[in-house]
Amino acid sequence: AEELKKYFLLQAEKSLEFSRASVFGLDIPHFGWGSNGSVCDVAHIMTVAYRLCGKEEYKAVARRQISYILGCNPLNFCYITGSGSKSPVNPHHRPSGASKKVMPGMLAGGPWEGLNDAYAKSHLSNLPPLKCYADAEPSYSTNEVAIYWNSAFVYLLAALYF
């Protein structure tokens, strides 16, 4: 168990260094499909590291990841539907599309530099990775919602604020 703890804290230190070098305090080197889920995964690692050793910087990095999700990003966009002053209104989510009403509380996938769908390719080409996001239903590669991204975000809120 001690060896696992040591390895885990070593990974947390690497994340901490990467976060320090990032303008938005992020620790993801590439923005892939569901990048917001990756942001939440990093924060999860940092909350566990904080619980293992109490280092406040780990907790601060986790909070920066949440701040990014909630709008401290280059688009000033809160990636949670129905939250903040600017949030997704056209998620790639069939129930919302069918009802013509966006369900609140869903985490959009977020920027993806791969531009995998036709909408993203035609509207986001030549943009920096952090700006490769489209609030458009056809942009499944940037605006899809998934339960495992949402659950990671809910866990973070509970881990840090309750």
Side-chain angles (χ1 to χ4, degrees):
E2 198 58 38
E3 190 173 319
L4 181 59
K5 178 181 175 181
K6 182 180 173 183
Y7 176 77
F8 198 88
L9 292 175
L10 179 65
Q11 293 305 311
E13 280 298 312
K14 289 178 183 178
S15 288
L16 180 61
E17 290 305 313
F18 202 87
S19 174
R20 285 176 180 154
S22 168
V23 173
F24 293 98
L26 297 177
D27 173 29
I28 55 174
H30 303 286
F31 289 83
W33 194 302
S35 64
N36 286 340
S38 297
V39 169
C40 291
D41 291 343
V42 167
H44 184 179
I45 289 167
M46 299 312 272
T47 60
V48 172
Y50 170 73
R51 288 186 176 169
L52 287 172
C53 70
K55 187 172 182 175
E56 287 294 325
E57 260 189 297
Y58 293 157
K59 193 175 190 181
V61 169
R63 286 187 173 145
R64 282 196 295 276
Q65 310 311 295
I66 290 173
S67 293
Y68 169 85
I69 296 290
L70 295 178
C72 185
N73 57 61
L75 300 173
N76 295 316
F77 202 87
C78 176
Y79 290 109
I80 307 292
T81 58
S83 298
S85 57
K86 184 179 173 187
S87 65
V89 293
N90 300 299
H92 183 80
H93 179 249
R94 290 193 174 137
S96 292
S99 69
K100 306 272 189 252
K101 183 178 177 184
V102 179
M103 296 179 184
M106 298 184 299
L107 175 60
W112 188 37
E113 59 193 297
L115 305 178
N116 195 51
D117 62 72
Y119 187 92
K121 286 177 185 173
S122 67
H123 291 84
L124 305 174
S125 292
N126 301 316
L127 290 177
L130 279 172
K131 290 191 173 188
C132 289
Y133 172 78
D135 181 21
E137 190 278 331
S139 185
Y140 58 86
S141 68
T142 68
N143 208 25
E144 178 182 42
V145 297
I147 194 165
Y148 60 98
W149 301 330
N150 284 278
S151 61
F153 186 72
V154 169
Y155 166 83
L156 292 174
L157 295 178
L160 288 170
Y161 300 107
F162 297 103

